[in-house]
Amino acid sequence: MKKRFLLVAVMGALCSASAGAATLRVHQDADIRSTDPGVNRDGNTDSVVLHMVEGLVGYDAKGQPKPLLAERIDVSEDGLTYTFHLRQGVKFHNGAPLTADDVVWSWNRFMNPKTGWRCLSDFDGRVRLKVEDVQATDAKTVVFRINQADPLFLSSLARNDCGMTAITHRDSLKADGSWDKPIGTGPFKLGEWRPREYIQLLRYDDYASLPGGRDGYVGSKQPKVDEIRFVVISDPATAKTALASGDIDIMSKVPYSEMEEMKGHPQIGVTVAPQLAPSTLPLQTRDKLLSNVKLRQAIAAALDYEQLVEGVTYGLAKPNNSLVPSASPYFSEAQQRGFVHDRARVKKLLAEAGYKGEKIVISTNKRNLPNFDAAVIAQAMLQEAGINAEIEVLEWGAQQDKWQKGNYQMMSFSYSSRMDPSLSFEAVMGPKDTQPRKVWEDAQALEQLTASMRETDPAKRQALFDALHGRMLEQVPIIALFNTLSTGAYRKNVEGFESSIFGTPQLWEVSKKD
C-alpha cells in the first residue's frame, strides 16, 4: 500500500504542471527542509535554493570563488579590507534594484544568532575569522573589514552550505520578522512548494545573467525553461521507472551500479563528473593496535587501489590517494603519488609491527552503498594479505555517532566536498582531545595546515599541500580512495544538463524539446 500511495502522489506531482509550459521535471530523493539560504538546510535544500538566490561571490566550475553579484572586488595590501563593487542592472524577483543597503541588511540578518545561519561561527571569530565591520559606502559599494588576512574569506562566502551568503530583499520576511520566501536575484523564483510532493520554481524573466559561457555558479545562468519541478521520489526504483517512461526528465543522483544500464536505454543520456568529496578509510591512530604506524602502513600497502576503486565505482572512477581532489587546480604531480600495493612490503611491515593476527573492525553503513562496497572489498584484500579484518555494518546515524566520538578502529566513510584543499585537510585534522572526530593530529602537519590557511601566494600554498600529502602517505592516519562521483541521467530531449563537481543539478542553461 505504501508504494502504491507513493506512485499516486508522484503521478499527481508530475501531471499537475501548467499545460503548454516548458516544464523540466527533476528527481529529488528527499524534500527540502526550508527555503531560507544556509538556514535549516541539507544538500537537497542547498541545491534547490541556489537556483533562486545569489551572493557577492560564487564558485566557478572548478570550485574557485569568483565575483557574482559583485562586478569587481578590491583587496587592501594588508588583506584586511575587501571592497565589493556591485553589478549594475541586477533586480530582485520583486523588481527592486540590488543596492549596497541590501547587502548590509542581508549580512546583519545572517549574523543575528536568532536567524540560525549555519555559517555564523565561521565569521564571528569563534573558529578563526571575524568580520569586524560591514558598511555601504555608496549605493553600489560595500566594504568588509576582517580581523586577519585570510585567503579563504571569499571561498567561505561562496560556500553552498552557507547559502552562498545570499543577498535577499527585505520582503523575504513576513511582517513579524519570520522567514516567508526567498526574494533573491537568481534565474528562478519560488512558485509552489508542496511538502513531500514537489517544489516548483518559475523562470525569472528579468534575470541579469553574466556574459560568456556557463561556469558553475558564475558565468551565464540563463533560465531556458518556464518551470522547474523538483519531484520528490524517495524510492530509487520508482525514480528509475519514471525516467525511463519520460515522467521525469533528469536524475542527478544515479547509483554507480545503474549507470551501465542507463547507457543502454535509447532515450536516456548519462553524465559523470568527479566531485571534490573524498571516499576514505579513516584509521584511529589512538587505537591500541592502530597507534602502530607500521601496521597502518601495512594496511595501506595491502590494498590494490585500481581493483578496489574499479569494483566500487563499476569502472567509473580512478584512484586518488590525496585529500586534494583531482579536479582541484592544486592537484599536481605530487598528489598523483599514492600508496603502493606491495604484498612483500606488507609481510615485512606486519613483522616489524609485531602483529599477531588481532582483529581489526571496519565500520560502515548501507545507506551509502559505495561505503559498504569499499569496506567489503578492502576486507577481502586485507584478509588475503594476512590481516584479520572484519566488517561492522551500522545504521548511518550510529556510524556518524562513532565517527564524532572517535570510537572505531577503521571506517569506510565519505567526507563532503570542500572547495579549497586547506578545508579538505582541516576536515580530518585537529586535536582529538577537543575534537574526537578528527583523524590526524601530528603537530608539524597542523602547523603546515595553519600556514596554508594564512598564505596567499598560490605557489607557496602548493608547496604546503604537497608537504601535507607526503606526510599523510607516510603516517597513514587516513587512506583516501577516490573522489566521489556525480552520476546523472537525463532524457535525450533535454539539452545542456551536465553533472558537476558539486554533486547537485545546476538547471540554468538547460532546455527541453517537446
Side-chain angles (χ1 to χ4, degrees), residues 107 180 283 450 475:
W107 178 260
D180 183 21
L283 289 81
T450 300
Q475 296 183 18

Side-chain angles (χ1 to χ4, degrees), residues 168-185:
T168 53
H169 193 270
R170 291 167 175 80
D171 288 352
S172 300
L173 303 185
K174 298 176 183 176
D176 63 3
S178 63
W179 182 258
D180 183 21
K181 64 180 181 180
I183 297 178
T185 61

Side-chain angles (χ1 to χ4, degrees), residues 11 14 238-249 265 267-268 491:
M11 292 308 297
L14 295 172
T238 303
K240 178 181 170 184
T241 299
L243 181 68
S245 66
D247 288 329
I248 61 173
D249 303 303
H265 194 290
Q267 299 301 322
I268 293 176
R491 301 286 302 180

Side-chain angles (χ1 to χ4, degrees), residues 55-57 67-73 84-87 98 210:
L56 294 169
V57 290
L68 182 49
L69 292 181
E71 181 178 59
R72 187 177 84 252
I73 306 168
F84 296 87
H85 303 273
L86 303 184
R87 288 164 52 203
L98 171 70
L210 285 167

